[in-house]
Amino acid sequence: MNDTDMNGLESLVWDAVLDERIDWFPLHKVVFVGKLIAVVVPNLNSFNVQAAVDAGNSIPIIYLAAAFNYLVVFVIAIWMVAMLLFEDRDLA
């Protein structure tokens, strides 16, 4: 696959998400969609502190602050997408 096989937008997204091209892999679109989903879906493992609590360790405040910031950024991003999707709807 070369640049003439892809349109401009797909090429830009491909470069942004993968950071490299997988020309040798026959299922390159499957890899692309998988990595795109990995970027869009939140990493919920950053909120998992069960192992530290079970071991009796304290959770550093900087870790909690980082997880809270991740939560706020993701909620704002989802809220903005929802606003774009429903801006022309008359819900009344």
Side-chain angles (χ1 to χ4, degrees):
M1 175 168 67
N2 56 27
D3 288 332
T4 59
D5 294 335
M6 292 191 288
N7 62 25
L9 180 61
E10 183 182 8
S11 178
L12 287 174
V13 173
W14 184 269
D15 291 338
V17 172
L18 293 179
D19 291 330
E20 61 186 34
R21 296 181 190 270
I22 303 175
D23 293 334
W24 55 270
F25 196 74
L27 300 174
H28 61 277
K29 293 205 185 241
V30 174
V31 173
F32 171 74
V33 171
K35 292 198 178 204
L36 184 64
I37 289 171
V39 169
V40 173
V41 175
N43 181 10
L44 298 179
N45 196 32
S46 62
F47 301 110
N48 186 7
V49 293
Q50 180 179 0
V53 171
D54 288 345
N57 297 333
S58 64
I59 296 147
I61 193 73
I62 192 74
Y63 183 83
L64 294 176
F68 182 74
N69 285 337
Y70 182 69
L71 171 76
V72 169
V73 167
F74 197 78
V75 166
I76 289 172
I78 294 298
W79 180 67
M80 291 178 78
V81 168
M83 294 295 288
L84 287 173
L85 291 175
F86 292 104
E87 74 177 321
D88 293 332
R89 297 262 180 156
D90 185 16
L91 299 176

